[in-house]
């Protein structure tokens, strides 16, 4: 049997560890979160258990007379069981808080989880009267009763629950935190098993105290989660915490504040020792919510988390923040005006993943409007852009792109050619049109790949011989002028076309007037080199840009495509008719062929016949359709023409 000195040494060691943990916790100053409070409660429980261990060692030493030792032993055991029974439930709640699992009693399920704790705690508190858990006989010997086994079963229940929470939160807990909590679980389990096997070992509390020291160092010490320049939680902390909320369906709102003129402010009032924005607005933000609800994922951005339990009107708070940021800030000897964008998003409503979150965090501008609070429909438009960006980026991997064809006709009704138009069929978003995804592709640098894809598909189609068989002279392919201007463009075009046995004059490249105005000399040189090889060129959307007319027509173009807005405007008023008539007359005088887009009615055709244009394109004949449908269309059209001639 182990002696008094061993038991006393174990208990004193445990107490000293707990005292050090408590002192360090308060020195660190992070005691205000629910997680921190549960940690302190657990350490206090272990400290109390250590004190009762010291008392038990004294009582069982035989130094006290029986009439004194028995009452003292009963008090010690009562305090031990009343506190130690709460240890595993508190640990479960602690792990839940670290993992962002809600433990609020809101329904029958969460109440049932608390029931074992309530029942066993009642057993422990009433044991002096019932002896259901333990009792001490007349000789001072301690005896276990059936209630103690029930307490161990309840402890095992919460131990398993904590393990389940840890397992389900594995991907949203940092490796350091996971290691520390696992360390505690293993040590605590080992201590319990050893003490169950030999009740004289008394090592359970010591094992738990040592294990929780690891938790203190790895979980409660948040140095790796703090941006010390900003003195708020950093980007990694935001990622893990919001990931935990999403994982466990925690409902909350986010207020994201972007300071869009940070660079100017930093240069003007820069302080090498800290982040200027933190110095300027840190106290203001902390006056709105507690510090642990604020994150600084970048030097110019703050994120405030508002949980439902806080009972805060998020919209009103966001509006007040936007109003405050619209006013000057005093900083040292400066009076600074911070330009900002304030966004409000809900989880899981607006934000479905941390990717959505960081898209909002890293993209402060919504359209051209930076005033007021971005929320609701404005936010949906913003998030739609993020979804389209994702679709564009994985479009080739998922075979989302498809080339459609819209036929063009001679004025007398004969087939002339077709325009190749890119379409997207995203698995999540459905059908996407170029007006939405092409500008994004241009910004992301993917438009060149799209243009190359379209050209490759058109060449393959031309090589089949079907277009020529049914009277298609050439197929128009849109080009990004930014692509045209990059080095090696001509070589890339020839590399694609050379794979197929086609004539280069079967391809008519289209460039857009409003873009082409940027550098006529360089563009004209590239166009001429390709035309010398046999390619044709058209000016697309003429009438929508602001190009210098003489510069546009200095380009060696074969066809000018008049935008549909000029045709439709001719039917709106007399001025529109004058503009269309004079535009067509001017292009004819310059010796260019004319194609008019947007032909939708017989009246359109009659007018264009009178004005003497060359080619027609529009929904009157056909909308853009997939290749197979296009082949059927031109086949049927040729049959109809043949039957009409007969």
């Amino acid at each position: 049997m182990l002696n008094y000195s061993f038991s006393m040494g174990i208990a004193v060691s445990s107490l000293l560890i707990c005292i050090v943990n408590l002192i360090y916790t308060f020195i660190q100053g992070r005691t205000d979160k629910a997680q921190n409070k549960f940690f302190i409660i657990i350490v206090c429980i272990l400290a109390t258990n250590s004190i009762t261990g010291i008392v038990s060692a004294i009582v069982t030493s035989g130094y006290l007379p029986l009439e004194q030792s028995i009452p003292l032993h009963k008090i010690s055991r009562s305090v031990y069981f009343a506190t130690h029974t709460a240890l595993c439930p508190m640990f479960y709640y602690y792990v839940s808080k670290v993992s962002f699992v809600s433990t609020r009693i809101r329904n029958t399920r969460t109440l049932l989880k608390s029931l074992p704790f309530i029942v066993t705690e009642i057993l422990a508190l009433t044991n002096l009267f019932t002896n259901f858990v333990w009792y001490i006989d007349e000789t001072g010997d301690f005896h276990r009763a059936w209630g103690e086994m029930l307490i161990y079963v309840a402890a095992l229940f919460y131990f398993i629950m904590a393990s389940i929470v840890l397992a389900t939160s594995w991907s949203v807990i940092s490796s350091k935190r996971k290691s520390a909590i696992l360390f505690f679980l293993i040590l605590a389990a080992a201590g319990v098993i050893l003490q169950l096997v030999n009740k004289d070992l008394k090592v359970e509390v010591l094992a738990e105290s040592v294990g929780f020291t690891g938790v203190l160092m790895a979980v409660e010490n948040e140095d790796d989660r703090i941006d010390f320049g900003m003195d708020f939680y950093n980007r990694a902390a935001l990622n893990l915490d919001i990931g935990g909320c999403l994982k466990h369906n925690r409902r909350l709102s986010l207020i994201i504040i972007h300071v869009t003129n940070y660079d100017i402010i930093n240069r003007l009032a820069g302080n090498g020792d800290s982040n200027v924005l933190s110095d300027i607005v840190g106290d203001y933000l902390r006056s709105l919510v507690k510090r642990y609800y604020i994150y600084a994922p970048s030097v110019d951005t703050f994120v405030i988390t508002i949980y439902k339990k806080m009972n805060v009107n998020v919209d009103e708070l966001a509006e007040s923040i936007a109003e405050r940021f619209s006013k000057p800030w005093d900083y040292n000897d400066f009076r600074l005006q911070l330009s900002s964008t304030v966004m409000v998003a809900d989880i899981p409503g607006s934000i479905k993943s941390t990717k959505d979150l960081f898209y909002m965090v890293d993209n402060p501008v919504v359209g051209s409007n930076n005033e007021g609070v971005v929320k609701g429909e404005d936010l949906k438009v913003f998030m739609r852009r993020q979804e389209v960006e994702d679709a564009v980026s994985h479009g080739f991997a998922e075979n989302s792109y498809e080339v459609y064809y819209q036929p063009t006709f001679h004025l007398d009704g004969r087939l002339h050619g077709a325009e190749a138009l890119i379409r997207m069929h995203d698995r999540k978003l459905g059908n996407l049109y170029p007006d939405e995804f092409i500008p994004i592709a241009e910004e992301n640098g993917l438009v060149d790949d799209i243009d190359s894809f379209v050209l490759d598909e058109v060449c393959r189609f031309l090589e089949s011989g079907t277009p020529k068989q049914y009277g298609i002279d050439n197929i128009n392919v849109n080009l990004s002028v930014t692509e045209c201007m990059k080095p090696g463009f001509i070589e890339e075009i020839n590399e694609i076309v050379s794979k197929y046995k086609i004539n280069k004059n079967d391809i008519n490249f289209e460039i857009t007037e409003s873009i082409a105005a940027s550098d006529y000399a360089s563009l004209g040189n590239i166009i001429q080199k390709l035309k010398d090889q046999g390619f044709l060129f058209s000016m697309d959307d003429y009438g929508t840009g602001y190009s210098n007319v003489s510069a546009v027509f200095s380009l060696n173009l074969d066809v000018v495509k008049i935008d549909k807005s000029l045709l439709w405007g001719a039917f709106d008023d007399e001025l529109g008719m004058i503009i269309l008539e004079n535009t067509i007359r001017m292009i004819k005088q310059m010796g260019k062929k004319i194609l008019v887009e947007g032909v939708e009615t017989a009246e359109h055709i009659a007018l264009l016949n009178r004005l003497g244009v060359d080619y027609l394109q529009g929904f009157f004949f056909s909308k853009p359709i997939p290749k197979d449908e296009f082949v059927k269309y031109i086949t049927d059209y040729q049959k109809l023409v043949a039957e009409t001639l007969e």
Side-chain angles (χ1 to χ4, degrees):
M1 182 174 177
L2 296 172
N3 60 22
Y4 152 80
S5 299
F6 177 81
S7 299
M8 178 63 75
I10 291 291
V12 170
S13 299
S14 301
L15 180 60
L16 288 174
I17 291 171
C18 292
I19 290 172
V20 170
N21 286 347
L22 284 173
I23 291 172
Y24 186 78
T25 298
F26 283 99
I27 287 175
Q28 207 177 21
R30 302 202 178 277
T31 59
D32 44 359
K33 295 170 65 177
Q35 165 192 322
N36 305 141
K37 291 179 171 62
F38 277 114
F39 177 85
I40 293 170
I41 290 171
I42 292 171
V43 175
C44 288
I45 288 173
L46 292 172
T48 303
N49 293 164
S50 301
I51 294 171
T52 61
I54 294 172
V55 173
S56 294
I58 294 172
V59 167
T60 56
S61 67
Y63 296 146
L64 295 176
L66 202 60
E67 61 272 14
Q68 294 180 3
S69 65
I70 290 178
L72 189 59
H73 201 185
K74 286 183 177 180
I75 293 172
S76 171
R77 291 292 86 189
S78 295
V79 173
Y80 173 82
F81 277 97
T83 54
H84 202 70
T85 297
L87 182 63
C88 277
M90 292 301 106
F91 180 69
Y92 161 68
Y93 293 134
Y94 177 76
V95 173
S96 297
K97 291 300 178 183
V98 171
S99 306
F100 286 86
V101 176
S102 177
T103 55
R104 298 176 69 193
I105 299 178
R106 296 172 299 175
N107 52 44
T108 304
R109 184 178 178 183
T110 51
L111 180 60
L112 287 173
K113 289 180 183 178
S114 303
L115 199 56
F117 171 45
I118 296 170
V119 171
T120 53
E121 192 63 36
I122 291 172
L123 279 175
L125 291 171
T126 60
N127 184 76
L128 281 176
F129 309 102
T130 64
N131 293 330
F132 288 160
V133 180
W134 55 271
Y135 65 93
I136 297 174
D137 62 21
E138 296 82 0
T139 63
D141 289 336
F142 176 83
H143 299 276
R144 304 171 189 269
W146 63 266
E148 185 181 32
M149 187 54 65
L150 188 61
I151 289 174
Y152 274 107
V153 170
L156 179 62
F157 168 76
Y158 286 108
F159 188 90
I160 293 172
M161 290 289 292
S163 301
I164 292 172
V165 168
L166 186 62
T168 56
S169 307
W170 197 255
S171 61
V172 292
I173 300 178
S174 68
S175 58
K176 190 174 77 168
R177 289 185 163 200
K178 287 185 284 198
S179 300
I181 295 173
L182 282 174
F183 175 66
F184 172 80
L185 289 172
I186 293 169
L187 273 184
V192 170
I193 292 170
L194 286 172
Q195 193 158 318
L196 277 174
V197 172
N198 186 345
K199 66 179 181 179
D200 294 325
L201 283 176
K202 310 293 185 185
V203 294
E204 180 182 343
V205 174
L206 177 61
E208 291 162 347
S209 300
V210 172
F212 237 62
T213 302
V215 173
L216 170 67
M217 292 187 294
V219 182
E220 292 301 295
N221 183 350
E222 296 188 310
D223 286 353
D224 61 327
R225 290 169 51 84
I226 301 295
D227 184 318
F228 289 102
M230 300 289 279
D231 198 29
F232 293 122
Y233 283 142
N234 58 27
R235 188 182 186 93
L238 179 63
N239 182 52
L240 289 172
D241 294 352
I242 298 303
C245 291
L246 289 164
K247 183 78 175 179
H248 298 290
N249 299 314
R250 291 292 301 274
R251 295 185 175 276
L252 68 152
S253 297
L254 302 178
I255 300 176
I256 301 172
I257 307 161
H258 298 278
V259 177
T260 55
N261 63 338
Y262 165 77
D263 290 341
I264 298 172
I265 297 298
N266 195 47
R267 286 196 299 270
L268 180 64
N271 182 344
D273 297 328
S274 63
N275 185 287
V276 172
L277 287 186
S278 178
D279 294 343
I280 296 173
V281 305
D283 289 341
Y284 168 69
L285 295 179
R286 280 186 284 267
S287 72
L288 303 176
V289 297
K290 294 179 179 178
R291 58 94 193 164
Y292 50 82
Y293 294 128
I294 306 172
Y295 299 78
S298 62
V299 294
D300 56 0
T301 305
F302 301 94
V303 177
I304 300 175
T305 53
I306 307 293
Y307 292 85
K308 297 302 180 184
K309 65 181 181 181
M310 296 166 65
N311 295 319
V312 173
N313 187 313
V314 179
D315 290 340
E316 288 183 2
L317 178 59
E319 293 290 348
S320 68
I321 291 172
E323 183 179 356
R324 176 63 190 91
F325 272 82
S326 68
K327 300 175 182 177
W329 300 76
D330 292 323
Y331 178 69
N332 294 337
D333 297 328
F334 299 96
R335 193 165 179 79
L336 304 172
Q337 185 66 55
L338 303 182
S339 177
S340 67
T341 298
V342 180
M343 308 171 75
V344 175
D346 296 323
I347 292 178
S350 305
I351 295 177
K352 304 289 192 304
S353 67
T354 53
K355 184 177 182 180
D356 292 344
L357 166 65
F358 284 105
Y359 183 82
M360 294 180 63
V361 165
D362 296 331
N363 294 274
V365 179
V366 181
S368 59
N369 178 21
N370 287 340
E371 299 179 358
V373 177
V374 179
K375 59 184 178 181
E377 290 302 317
D378 290 337
L379 190 62
K380 287 181 181 179
V381 172
F382 181 71
M383 297 310 293
R384 169 72 178 187
R385 178 182 172 84
Q386 186 259 334
E387 292 177 329
V388 175
E389 283 186 3
D390 286 346
V392 169
S393 65
H394 60 231
F396 286 109
E398 297 185 357
N399 296 316
S400 302
Y401 295 108
E402 183 180 7
V403 176
Y404 277 37
Y405 296 88
Q406 186 176 26
T408 60
F409 295 84
H410 290 278
L411 199 58
D412 60 8
R414 289 178 296 114
L415 271 170
H416 161 252
E419 180 178 3
L421 298 161
I422 189 69
R423 295 289 186 267
M424 279 192 73
H425 310 291
D426 186 69
R427 290 184 300 181
K428 179 181 176 183
L429 301 180
N431 293 330
L432 297 175
Y433 292 92
D435 288 350
E436 185 172 22
F437 70 82
I438 287 297
I440 292 173
E442 288 176 338
E443 292 179 15
N444 293 351
L446 292 173
V447 71
D448 294 355
D449 295 331
I450 292 174
D451 285 348
S452 297
F453 170 79
V454 173
L455 179 58
D456 193 90
E457 290 291 300
V458 168
C459 290
R460 183 178 289 111
F461 185 33
L462 287 168
E463 188 182 40
S464 71
T466 301
K468 285 293 184 184
Q469 180 183 349
Y470 292 100
I472 299 295
D473 294 334
N474 50 64
I475 296 179
N476 292 16
V477 177
N478 289 279
L479 280 183
S480 163
V481 174
T482 56
E483 183 186 11
C484 294
M485 305 296 285
K486 73 177 185 179
F489 167 72
I490 295 175
E491 290 75 13
E492 288 180 18
I493 292 293
N494 283 313
E495 183 179 349
I496 295 172
V497 176
S498 64
K499 294 188 298 182
Y500 303 93
K501 297 175 182 178
I502 61 173
N503 294 321
K504 292 182 178 179
N505 59 14
D506 291 342
I507 297 174
N508 187 330
F509 289 120
E510 293 187 9
I511 55 175
T512 302
E513 173 202 353
S514 58
I515 302 174
S518 57
D519 191 340
Y520 290 108
S522 298
L523 183 60
N525 184 46
I526 292 167
I527 289 174
Q528 190 57 54
K529 287 181 179 179
L530 287 171
K531 284 184 65 63
D532 290 344
Q533 296 177 19
F535 294 105
L536 304 177
F537 270 85
S538 295
M539 173 65 71
D540 193 18
D541 297 334
Y542 183 80
T544 60
Y546 303 95
S547 305
N548 179 279
V549 174
S550 62
V552 169
F553 288 100
S554 68
L555 301 174
N556 189 7
L557 302 170
D558 299 284
V559 179
V560 175
K561 298 182 69 174
I562 293 179
D563 187 72
K564 60 187 177 184
S565 61
L566 293 187
L567 172 62
W568 295 352
F571 288 85
D572 291 338
D573 53 42
E574 185 178 352
L575 178 61
M577 183 65 72
I578 292 171
I579 292 173
L580 177 64
E581 289 176 344
N582 282 280
T583 298
I584 291 173
R585 184 181 301 110
M586 177 184 66
I587 296 171
K588 281 183 173 183
Q589 289 173 347
M590 292 182 175
K592 309 293 184 183
K593 297 285 187 180
I594 300 171
L595 185 151
V596 180
E597 300 175 302
V599 177
E600 296 189 354
T601 66
E603 289 77 11
H604 288 167
I605 294 176
L607 172 62
L608 296 174
N609 260 300
R610 179 172 66 82
L611 296 176
V613 302
D614 300 284
Y615 311 116
L616 308 176
Q617 179 180 350
F619 283 10
F620 181 85
F621 305 102
S622 173
K623 64 181 181 179
I625 50 180
K627 183 178 73 174
D628 291 344
E629 291 184 33
F630 177 72
V631 171
K632 184 178 184 306
Y633 176 89
I634 59 178
T635 303
D636 293 343
Y637 189 84
Q638 288 291 64
K639 289 179 181 178
L640 180 62
V641 171
E643 290 172 1
T644 303
L645 292 175
E646 290 177 1

